[in-house]
Amino acid sequence: MTTFVRAPRAATPLEPVTPVEVTAPQRATAHMVASLLLDYPAEDGFDARLDACAAALATEGDALPPEPVAAALRSFIAVARERGQRAMAEHYVRLFDQRRRCCLYLTYYAVGDTRHRGAAILAFKQALAAAGYEMTEDELPDYLPVVLELSARSGDEVAAALLSSHREGIEVLRAALADASSPYAGLVEAVSMTLPPIDEATAQRIRALVSAGPPTETVGVTQTLPFPSTPVTRLPGMPAWDMSQESRP
């Protein structure tokens, strides 16, 4: 008998990725490449962005990420070239704009569309300022490509804190992208490989979040934000790897 509705199918939790030992320059390269590739594949900058990322992954030196990370990034670039800009843009919209668990805004996994969202986004803005940076585009500061670019350009501990404290959201995103058989899953997996190992308590929270999805109601949501909202001292030194703003449309 034909039915018209069914309960939503939850994404299947994935096994944690095996962390890869990376240096600061290697992490910077991986995070900048992932930042550029996770952004919307706009027509006017698609090919240039792929070329810049491919060049960064083809250059021998201390900043080249370890092979498991580089291979995952290269694999996405190959698929993106094969499919082309229009197909990738259509896939991007279907994926990130229409699937609840495929969200590139990290606060969504922590507090959902609740009354706490504004405070959560403000905390990201404060963290960005604490690291000595400010937004140059009309985008929210909890956008994963923004946090990854901050990590790549600054090497600041505040970026590491933002990524680590939102590890559950990153892993839910990875599981949802893998469940959708999307090439974008490889990008998030590459990022996960550069992050610290997941302990059992975090793994349990990830499984629960994969099953239930991001919060949708304010009732029962904790008043304590799951990430630092106070300034973090910026580490000395220049970014390990920099890419011109012209590379990002």
Side-chain angles (χ1 to χ4, degrees):
M1 182 175 66
T2 301
T3 59
F4 293 99
V5 298
R6 64 172 174 82
R9 182 169 59 89
T12 303
L14 298 178
E15 289 297 321
V17 299
T18 301
V20 176
E21 186 174 346
V22 292
T23 64
Q26 289 173 332
R27 184 183 297 106
T29 300
H31 286 188
M32 181 62 85
V33 169
S35 171
L36 290 167
L37 298 179
L38 279 168
D39 199 11
Y40 176 74
E43 183 176 2
D44 59 351
F46 178 72
D47 290 333
R49 197 186 308 177
L50 293 180
D51 290 344
C53 291
L57 297 172
T59 303
E60 296 293 336
D62 294 340
L64 181 66
E67 186 54 29
V69 177
L73 298 171
R74 292 192 193 105
S75 177
F76 176 87
I77 294 172
V79 171
R81 290 193 194 281
E82 180 181 357
R83 293 190 182 185
Q85 182 274 331
R86 182 170 182 177
M88 290 301 294
E90 291 174 352
H91 175 68
Y92 191 98
V93 171
R94 288 196 304 270
L95 196 66
F96 295 115
D97 291 356
Q98 299 176 13
R99 293 187 179 226
R100 182 166 170 249
R101 287 177 173 83
C102 295
C103 181
L104 290 172
Y105 296 91
L106 295 179
T107 62
Y108 181 69
Y109 296 99
V111 295
D113 283 327
T114 69
R115 58 193 172 92
H116 300 295
R117 187 80 186 276
I121 292 173
L122 177 60
F124 268 79
K125 185 176 181 180
Q126 291 173 338
L128 199 70
Y133 287 80
E134 62 182 10
M135 297 294 298
T136 61
E137 301 289 339
D138 186 17
E139 186 55 85
L140 294 176
D142 65 329
Y143 186 47
L144 180 56
V146 169
V147 182
L148 290 171
E149 182 175 345
L150 176 65
S151 172
R153 291 186 180 278
S154 70
D156 200 308
E157 60 186 19
V158 70
L162 290 174
L163 291 170
S164 296
S165 58
H166 285 80
R167 188 64 182 274
E168 292 93 336
I170 292 172
E171 292 302 313
V172 171
L173 174 61
R174 183 172 72 91
L177 293 175
D179 195 57
S181 299
S182 171
Y184 283 98
L187 296 181
V188 181
E189 182 172 343
V191 171
S192 292
M193 280 189 260
T194 69
L195 300 178
I198 297 175
D199 59 27
E200 182 54 33
T202 302
Q204 290 180 1
R205 292 195 298 271
I206 289 169
R207 288 191 288 269
L209 189 53
V210 167
S211 176
T216 56
E217 301 292 339
T218 59
V219 177
V221 176
T222 177
Q223 295 286 343
T224 304
L225 298 177
F227 45 85
S229 58
T230 55
V232 179
T233 302
R234 183 178 179 185
L235 298 177
M238 297 298 291
W241 182 64
D242 196 10
M243 178 174 286
S244 170
Q245 289 286 349
E246 284 73 23
S247 298
R248 184 188 296 278

